[in-house]
Amino acid sequence: PTRLERLLKDAIRYTKFADLKEMMIELCKKKEENAETPKQIPSIKQISKEEFDEKSWDDIYPLWVEIENEDSAVISGFLEWFASHPSFANADHMQSKKAEVLQEMAGSFCSVMKTHDKCETLQQFGCAVIANLVPSQYVSPILVEEGGIQAVLKAMQYSHEGIQQEACRAIHKFAMDENNAGKITKHEGVGLILKAMRMYPQNAAIQFSACAALQSLTHSNEEASKTQEGIELIIGAIILHEDVEDIQRTGVGALYNLGKHDFNADETIRLGFPQVAVRMLKMHKRTWQDSLDVLKRICSRPKWALSPELLLVLREVYHHSPELQQKVVDVVFARQ
């Protein structure tokens, strides 16, 4: 029983006035009859992907309108469901109805993150929803206009692994657009990504999302590609998570973009990437091309020469992958 119900029952027990007793009983009954049932958030198990036809989308926006003014726990529940449901996971391939509904909802997703900026759970799933929606050409401009980039970067103030992972994933998607990459860099996005990498070196999901974010930022933004701070963290992630191919792939992609500046190429050599590349070339065939691209970019620098061990591995790649033979030749003779 609630505190009110206990008080009412105590009052009934001790009162000598029959009319007051009847009034108390009536009040208890009315309270039970009018008790609000908590809002039920649709479960991923209750609504399957197949059930979301054109008509079903008409029900999503009214549901969100009803929920968005509730407390942070209710909103977080909706966002968690929305972020994880397969119908919302790939917004870049959406039907007209889906696009129309999500355009209506995009701005308010950013708004609730600003309003409930103290709720870490809401920030995590808000970042996840935004990351899912950014690839949509219909929704992405609205997210940017409504402050989605700033909302994601602000969420990264929390020392929360889930937030860091989803925020880095959202930054990666945003930064594929050159203008967005400029905004992220202007708002110290690179520093926030590097901070996440330093705080959670053992978390492979964060390291992957962070490397992917750095790869996108350094590809499309000249200012971001000048940073030297990330090189050590990227190489560290590659070494620590040598069995995670996605980290190897995105890590060397970021190093390639950073290596276009001579001072970064020299730093990449100083921090031992050529030795790291030996293991990568042995373990991950899918990273051969990216690793060779980085080696080609840095091997022309006067401070480095090919080691015998690396030459042996390059020879192996040369014989096992005819399509990469020219890249191997370019690496070996880059300084000629």
Side-chain angles (χ1 to χ4, degrees), residues 1-46:
T2 64
R3 183 169 180 271
L4 175 61
E5 288 171 335
R6 288 197 300 271
L7 289 172
L8 290 173
K9 288 177 181 178
D10 288 341
I12 291 170
R13 187 180 305 128
Y14 294 112
T15 184
K16 297 179 180 179
F17 302 98
D19 55 341
L20 182 58
K21 183 175 180 178
E22 288 298 319
M23 185 182 73
M24 293 291 187
I25 293 172
E26 188 65 26
L27 188 58
C28 278
K29 288 182 179 178
K30 189 172 289 187
K31 181 180 180 297
E32 290 177 1
E33 291 171 0
N34 295 334
E36 289 188 7
T37 55
K39 284 185 171 60
Q40 296 298 312
I41 305 302
S43 165
I44 188 171
K45 296 179 180 178
Q46 294 172 337

Side-chain angles (χ1 to χ4, degrees), residues 249-262:
R249 177 176 50 80
T250 55
V252 294
L255 289 176
Y256 177 78
N257 295 335
L258 291 165
K260 62 188 173 185
H261 299 286
D262 289 345

Side-chain angles (χ1 to χ4, degrees), residues 207 231-241:
Q207 295 298 313
I231 297 174
E232 183 173 4
L233 290 168
I234 293 168
I235 293 177
I238 289 172
I239 295 172
L240 189 60
H241 301 280

Side-chain angles (χ1 to χ4, degrees), residues 47-305:
I47 303 179
S48 67
K49 184 177 181 179
E50 291 71 24
E51 290 176 316
F52 274 99
D53 54 21
E54 291 286 310
K55 183 177 183 303
S56 299
W57 278 93
D58 290 327
D59 302 325
I60 297 299
Y61 183 59
L63 175 63
W64 171 243
V65 169
E66 184 181 357
I67 286 173
E68 66 174 316
N69 293 317
E70 293 292 329
D71 61 37
S72 58
V74 175
I75 298 172
S76 298
F78 179 89
L79 292 176
E80 180 180 10
W81 167 73
F82 198 86
S84 60
H85 198 284
S87 291
F88 313 118
N90 296 301
D92 50 339
H93 301 296
M94 56 170 59
Q95 301 169 340
S96 57
K97 176 63 71 175
K98 185 176 180 181
E100 183 181 328
V101 172
L102 292 177
Q103 282 176 323
E104 293 288 337
M105 299 171 72
S108 56
F109 287 147
C110 300
S111 296
V112 296
M113 288 185 69
K114 296 172 188 174
T115 303
H116 301 275
D117 59 350
K118 305 299 184 195
C119 178
E120 295 183 359
T121 304
L122 190 149
Q123 296 299 307
Q124 176 185 348
F125 294 117
C127 288
V129 168
I130 288 175
N132 288 348
L133 298 182
V134 171
S136 166
Q137 60 178 321
Y138 305 104
V139 183
S140 185
I142 298 174
L143 290 172
V144 174
E145 184 179 343
E146 295 294 332
I149 291 175
Q150 292 86 337
V152 168
L153 293 176
K154 186 176 180 181
M156 295 182 76
Q157 67 181 298
Y158 291 107
S159 300
H160 184 288
E161 293 185 55
I163 292 176
Q164 300 301 322
Q165 178 190 340
E166 297 297 350
C168 286
R169 189 166 70 90
I171 292 172
H172 162 54
K173 302 290 182 65
F174 272 124
M176 290 182 178
D177 177 271
E178 187 175 351
N179 293 327
N180 292 342
K183 291 179 181 178
I184 293 166
T185 304
K186 181 180 177 182
H187 287 88
E188 309 298 330
V190 174
L192 290 169
I193 295 167
L194 300 182
K195 181 181 176 183
M197 294 182 76
R198 283 193 295 269
M199 289 178 66
Y200 305 105
Q202 302 287 342
N203 189 314
I206 290 177
Q207 295 298 313
F208 164 57
S209 295
C211 285
L214 290 173
Q215 183 181 17
S216 296
L217 281 170
T218 54
H219 173 75
S220 55
N221 185 264
E222 183 67 18
E223 195 62 33
S225 67
K226 292 179 180 178
T227 180
Q228 281 187 289
E229 295 179 73
I231 297 174
E232 183 173 4
L233 290 168
I234 293 168
I235 293 177
I238 289 172
I239 295 172
L240 189 60
H241 301 280
E242 64 178 8
D243 57 334
V244 183
E245 195 170 87
D246 284 337
I247 293 177
Q248 309 296 305
R249 177 176 50 80
T250 55
V252 294
L255 289 176
Y256 177 78
N257 295 335
L258 291 165
K260 62 188 173 185
H261 299 286
D262 289 345
F263 51 85
N264 281 340
D266 290 340
E267 184 70 359
T268 303
I269 295 169
R270 187 186 73 79
L271 291 169
F273 178 75
Q275 290 76 25
V276 175
V278 172
R279 290 188 61 80
M280 291 181 65
L281 291 169
K282 287 179 178 179
M283 293 180 64
H284 301 287
K285 290 186 178 181
R286 286 181 57 193
T287 66
W288 277 0
Q289 181 168 327
D290 294 328
S291 299
L292 291 172
D293 285 338
V294 176
L295 289 171
K296 179 185 175 182
R297 177 158 275 182
I298 68 174
C299 71
S300 60
R301 303 298 298 152
K303 296 181 180 180
W304 177 62

